[in-house]
Amino acid sequence: EELLLKTEKVILYLESVIPIHLVLSSNVSYPELIMKRVFFVRHGEGEHNVFFKRGDRQGAKILDPPLTELGKKQAVDIAHTEHPILKDVRVDLIVSSPLRRTVQTAALMFKNTLIEEHSDANEVKCAAPTKILLHPDIQETGDIECDTGRPFHEMWDEVASSLRPEMSLRKEMFSTELLEANPRWYIKEGDYAHNGKSIRERLCRFTKWLQGRPETTIVVVGHHNAFLAMLECSFMNCEVREYALGKVRNSDKDHIKGILESWSLIQPPLVGTSTEGLDKEEIEHIERHIPYAKQKFKAWGYQMPTKPFR
């Protein structure tokens, strides 16, 4: 009876992380069904987003913009212990873009865990306390000021002060090794140039990096256009979506094809262009971002997706 109960739990877990179309496919071998659960989170509302929402391009001139007060509240509201998609999930790894708004969002999302595990008052010290790993490959795609980051040490005081008194940040809460390995990551040239080829290659590299990590349950905090290019999905501010990451099926001729075939959406489902049952904010997002997403795919030289962006 105990063995049967354990077996049922395993089956329920597999059903939660393996898309049924893969299970039923005769072309998929067992190793390809070994998935990672990856939760993508777009940052909270940034100062530049306020401008863009009212059709003002001046927001593009804000260098590495911070979260607004609403953006901070959005990040707190999706705390991983409270959000309906994340609340029962034991997260193994937190990855964030190194831009200011994503660093703020990730810190506020995992505030309680970070404070508890890094507190001097904590009598039981963690052998490996939770850290937010900053990864340059998941930074935003554009080369305009609002999509451009800065060295971590330059923005540190601004980020730390912006979250007080909500939380007291410490540098040891972050892992910056990947930034130190590529100290020019914020210069939009070469690997990080704003063109379709460079974007394809770095997002394919990021996908492979995730695939090679030992962790199986991962949160990635990033940006609208980076997620759009990798997942063909338009995210609202602080929207959370769960994907399954399978074996990377990379084609030397078309990196983006390899990326997209590796990701399978788990929840929530795409709604297409239908606005039935959506609130005002969701309707405005669809009306604003779907034409924008099509423009981006054309500019990047990507084939237009057949599935909806939302």
Side-chain angles (χ1 to χ4, degrees), residues 19-219:
I20 192 64
H21 74 274
L22 291 181
V23 176
L24 298 177
S25 173
S26 59
N27 297 322
V28 179
S29 61
Y30 177 76
E32 291 174 305
L33 298 181
I34 305 304
M35 300 278 180
K36 293 179 186 288
R37 300 177 72 188
V38 183
F39 299 86
F40 288 93
V41 184
R42 185 187 173 197
H43 60 80
E45 181 189 71
E47 288 185 354
H48 63 308
N49 294 141
V50 177
F51 285 88
F52 288 139
K53 286 176 182 177
R54 61 176 185 241
D56 187 346
R57 295 294 299 175
Q58 292 301 307
K61 297 179 181 179
I62 304 174
L63 178 63
D64 192 17
L67 295 180
T68 63
E69 289 305 311
L70 173 60
K72 293 177 187 178
K73 182 180 183 302
Q74 291 171 334
V76 171
D77 287 347
I78 60 165
H80 81 287
T81 54
E82 303 293 336
H83 192 277
I85 292 179
L86 290 169
K87 65 180 181 179
D88 295 322
V89 175
R90 182 174 178 177
V91 177
D92 301 323
L93 176 67
I94 309 165
V95 184
S96 174
S97 155
L99 272 65
R100 179 161 45 159
R101 57 191 181 271
T102 42
V103 170
Q104 289 174 304
T105 300
L108 289 171
M109 273 187 71
F110 290 90
K111 176 185 67 173
N112 294 337
T113 299
L114 292 170
I115 291 174
E116 179 182 351
E117 296 188 9
H118 290 269
S119 172
D120 291 332
N122 188 356
E123 296 179 359
V124 182
K125 293 292 184 182
C126 298
T130 299
K131 292 189 176 186
I132 298 172
L133 192 156
L134 303 181
H135 202 307
D137 283 354
I138 200 64
Q139 66 178 295
E140 188 56 302
T141 61
D143 54 7
I144 53 180
E145 284 90 341
C146 69
D147 292 340
T148 302
R150 294 169 294 160
F152 187 68
H153 69 272
E154 284 188 16
M155 72 167 185
W156 170 253
D157 287 342
E158 296 171 8
V159 171
S161 63
S162 72
L163 299 188
R164 299 190 192 106
E166 189 70 43
M167 68 180 298
S168 180
L169 279 185
R170 297 182 173 194
K171 287 185 178 180
E172 57 264 30
M173 293 176 177
F174 299 89
S175 173
T176 60
E177 286 85 352
L178 294 177
L179 305 185
E180 293 160 7
N182 189 351
R184 292 170 56 86
W185 64 266
Y186 55 92
I187 298 175
K188 296 302 182 78
E189 299 174 352
D191 285 351
Y192 302 109
H194 184 217
N195 60 66
K197 181 176 182 294
S198 295
I199 293 168
R200 286 187 184 103
E201 289 177 350
R202 72 168 162 103
L203 293 177
C204 184
R205 184 171 63 238
F206 180 74
T207 302
K208 289 181 175 179
W209 177 83
L210 284 179
Q211 178 63 32
R213 295 287 305 192
E215 300 87 357
T216 57
T217 307
I218 302 166
V219 169

